[in-house]
Amino acid sequence: MEEKKLDINSIIGFLLIGGILLFMLWQNQPTEEELKAQEEAKQAQIEAEKKVEEANDDFKVTPENVTAISATDSVQLANLQNKIGAFAYSATLASSNNEAETVVENDVLAIKVSNKGGYISEVRLKSFVNYDSVPVYLIKDNNNIFNVNFGTTDNRTLNTRDLYFEPTLTKSGENQVLSMKLKVSENQYLEYRYELKPNDYMLDFSLRSQGLSNVINSSQEVKLDWKLKGYRHAKSISYENRYTRLTYEHDGGKIDKLSQASDDEEVEGDVTWLSYRQHFFSSILVTDTPFKSVSLTSKDLVQDEDVDTLYTKSYAASIPLEVKGGELNHSMNMYYGPTDSKILKQYDKNLEESIPFGWGIFGWINKNLFIPLFAFLSGVFPYGIAIIIMTIIVRIVLSPVLYKSYLSQAKMRILKPEITEINEKYKDNAMKRQQETMALYSKAGASPMSGCLPALLQLPVFYALFMFFPTAFELRQKSFLWADDLSSYDVIAELPFNIPIYGDHVSLFPILASIAIFFYMKMTTGQQVASQPTQEGMPDMGKMMKYMIYFSPIMMLFFFNQYASGLSLYYFISNLITIGIMLVIKNYILDEDKIHAKIQENKKKPKKQSRFQKKMSEMMEQAEAQKAAQQKRKK
């Protein structure tokens, strides 16, 4: 971040402004009579507020009056019992009948737990700040609700979020243990127990009851509701929202997600964990015993990036809790921390699968190749240099595939005159033309599809990297050259207006990547146009490819302007290296005269057909014979 310095003119200006303000304050200081009148007015206001407070408070417990209320004010106590029944005992405890918060923290987390509701009211990640250098809060200002809804034997329906818990903070070795109890009596209570270990993002959490078998109505469903609205932490809320998603594991290891782009809901069984992912940070609830049924909901809160700048998505989970012997007893864990595969993997609960590495082969490539490779490189080099080195390694590994593709294009280019001759010779006989063309390809050892196959082999690598860079936590807020944050877009100019899709800024890395793609496509498209024979009745592929030369870079420029600059850096370097490799192959490795001579030799050799080729040849000959017979009958 650029350091802001004051010049001498600014200092003089501030001194002048300060002097003027001090003079105005001195000139307008009140007289003794005005001060006396202000004091009398203040006392009158305090007395009035006190009377209003006394008139409006139906029942308020303080340490001074708790004994008198519980012993003598039977009317007020009866009113409270009518509202919350047996749990009126908990409300009469002065230590718990207030909205105070208990703090538990370690080296990485600062957590506040509210007495009202007994749930976590604030989570601050100590090691991180957002795009605006403000500490990262996952929970704050009532964006989180953790509530147990249950019926009682006296026909009431209660919500723990409305009731007051009594906190007890102790230590178990180096761990901090916070017990929040919602009491019916000293020996009858519902307890939330939080245990925080040193330097750990995971809390042990248990929800249990004691002596409430005659209080909780076990015939009525007991539900745990957990709701969270995800805060914005990145420059682009739309980009962050693209990677903000509710993910869960169910049915013995299956990973599923709710919709990323729209509102969605689902009911799943045997859920072992659910993750409220907010791009680079996650709030995860893990259960030791799978939840038999969970109703999940995700709502997209981003309608306009310029207006809706506080929250990304709203998540909710409704979980029926099993009551055994009239009591609740559930052991869980709560994770509040970075969406970092290295950290999540340490817990051995498959939590790293909440990160969108890509499905199938793409995810496998990321988890087993790119993540370990980048972890090694970034441990030795700065992050921008690590991306460049990884790009070089990937392109060198894929260079044999590129060589095969270029060799195939060279063969097709050499055969083009002969293909054109066949097309002219059999222009009125499509079947014969196709037959002769296939025979030429077979003898020469060439195929139009042989150039497509190498390109298809590279697609899994390209897509895996496309998923890797936006989710690589290591890149978050790491700078390189003019980019302040490789996990977000770089900015070289702010625009005074917003361009749809493009945005309100100019990023340089996408521009460089687009230029590199233009020259790469100009080289490859020129090769393809030169090698493709023109056939009657077919669209002009040359013209279409020329359009693609300009269309693809423009799409790249618009699409990647708001993507991670690390991804644009990769594509820029990758295309530069590819252009270099192609020039080396063309000028120093491939000799078209030698390739032509080899093709002519192959054509002279008797080519043994495979069973499939033989069958296809016979079918084509039969079709040709039938066509000739039909034409003869018509004459």
Side-chain angles (χ1 to χ4, degrees), residues 120-123 137-141 143-144 228 231 336:
I120 294 174
S121 56
E122 185 175 291
V123 173
Y137 288 90
L138 298 187
I139 297 175
K140 190 182 181 183
D141 297 335
N143 74 319
N144 175 67
L228 180 72
Y231 279 116
Y336 297 101

Side-chain angles (χ1 to χ4, degrees), residues 8-272:
I8 189 66
N9 293 328
S10 299
I11 294 171
I12 293 170
F14 281 122
L15 289 174
L16 287 172
I17 292 169
I20 292 168
L21 288 173
L22 288 172
F23 177 77
M24 291 176 64
L25 288 171
W26 178 76
Q27 281 287 92
N28 292 287
Q29 61 181 337
T31 62
E32 289 185 11
E33 291 80 4
E34 289 173 332
L35 288 171
K36 187 176 179 181
Q38 288 176 6
E39 184 64 28
E40 289 174 354
K42 186 177 180 181
Q43 288 295 331
Q45 184 179 357
I46 291 172
E47 291 295 327
E49 289 176 352
K50 187 175 180 181
K51 288 179 181 178
V52 171
E53 184 177 357
E54 290 173 352
N56 290 338
D57 262 345
D58 293 327
F59 190 84
K60 187 171 183 179
V61 182
T62 65
E64 290 77 16
N65 68 13
V66 63
T67 306
I69 290 172
S70 56
T72 62
D73 205 333
S74 57
V75 175
Q76 287 187 331
L77 187 57
N79 288 338
L80 189 62
Q81 287 174 334
N82 284 335
K83 292 178 182 178
I84 58 176
F87 292 98
Y89 176 85
S90 188
T92 60
L93 299 175
S95 60
S96 64
N97 190 25
N98 57 75
E99 296 189 30
E101 296 173 316
T102 305
V103 178
V104 290
E105 60 181 311
N106 58 18
D107 295 333
V108 295
L109 287 178
I111 296 173
K112 292 181 181 179
V113 181
S114 173
N115 287 6
K116 185 176 182 181
Y119 61 90
I120 294 174
S121 56
E122 185 175 291
V123 173
R124 176 170 61 88
L125 304 184
K126 291 184 174 182
S127 303
F128 306 102
V129 295
N130 68 11
Y131 71 101
D132 209 18
S133 300
V134 174
V136 169
Y137 288 90
L138 298 187
I139 297 175
K140 190 182 181 183
D141 297 335
N142 301 314
N143 74 319
N144 175 67
I145 294 176
F146 193 88
N147 174 63
V148 176
N149 173 277
F150 61 95
T152 63
T153 52
D154 54 359
N155 296 320
R156 291 180 174 83
T157 300
L158 300 179
N159 292 290
T160 56
R161 68 186 179 193
D162 301 325
L163 305 175
Y164 291 95
F165 287 66
E166 183 179 18
T168 304
L169 184 60
T170 59
K171 280 207 166 188
S172 176
E174 294 185 337
N175 300 349
Q176 296 179 67
V177 178
L178 176 60
S179 171
M180 304 293 293
K181 290 182 178 178
L182 176 62
K183 292 184 175 181
V184 170
S185 69
E186 286 303 313
N187 298 318
Q188 296 173 283
Y189 51 80
L190 175 68
E191 181 187 29
Y192 293 168
R193 185 181 183 276
Y194 304 90
E195 184 169 350
L196 182 61
K197 305 177 186 70
N199 200 35
D200 199 344
Y201 293 103
M202 185 82 80
L203 294 90
D204 292 340
F205 173 72
S206 61
L207 188 163
R208 72 183 189 93
S209 65
Q210 178 175 302
L212 299 186
S213 57
N214 294 324
V215 177
I216 295 177
N217 185 355
S218 56
S219 65
Q220 185 175 328
E221 186 177 62
V222 178
K223 283 197 306 181
L224 169 62
D225 294 314
W226 181 30
K227 299 179 181 179
L228 180 72
K229 288 197 291 187
Y231 279 116
R232 170 189 184 175
H233 300 301
K235 282 191 294 187
S236 171
I237 192 171
S238 59
Y239 178 68
E240 181 178 18
N241 201 33
R242 194 176 296 130
Y243 298 96
T244 296
R245 201 166 184 181
L246 195 159
T247 310
Y248 55 95
E249 183 184 69
H250 65 105
D251 291 331
K254 294 180 182 176
I255 306 296
D256 270 312
K257 305 173 180 68
L258 294 191
S259 175
Q260 168 266 324
S262 61
D263 296 350
D264 196 8
E265 59 184 33
E266 191 65 72
V267 177
E268 292 288 3
D270 293 326
V271 174
T272 45

Side-chain angles (χ1 to χ4, degrees), residues 442 607-618:
S442 179
K607 188 74 175 178
K608 187 177 180 181
Q609 290 184 321
S610 66
R611 185 176 298 177
F612 175 75
Q613 289 174 325
K614 194 173 181 180
K615 188 71 175 174
M616 286 294 295
S617 179
E618 289 175 358

Side-chain angles (χ1 to χ4, degrees), residues 532-551:
Q532 289 294 326
T534 304
Q535 294 188 22
E536 190 179 346
M538 295 293 287
D540 190 345
M541 296 300 294
K543 189 177 288 187
M544 291 174 64
M545 288 180 178
K546 285 178 182 176
Y547 288 140
M548 289 299 295
I549 292 175
Y550 300 96
F551 181 73

Side-chain angles (χ1 to χ4, degrees), residues 243 247 255 257 273 275 277 279-280 282 284 338-345 350-359 363 367 371 467-468 470-473:
Y243 298 96
T247 310
I255 306 296
K257 305 173 180 68
W273 56 256
S275 169
R277 173 161 48 85
H279 196 182
F280 284 126
S282 294
I284 306 174
T339 315
D340 187 339
S341 60
K342 294 194 301 292
I343 295 174
L344 293 174
K345 203 168 185 178
N350 213 26
L351 300 180
E352 66 276 11
E353 293 298 326
S354 64
I355 303 174
F357 296 125
W359 53 272
K367 285 181 279 189
I371 290 175
M467 297 301 295
F468 169 78
T471 57
F473 187 84

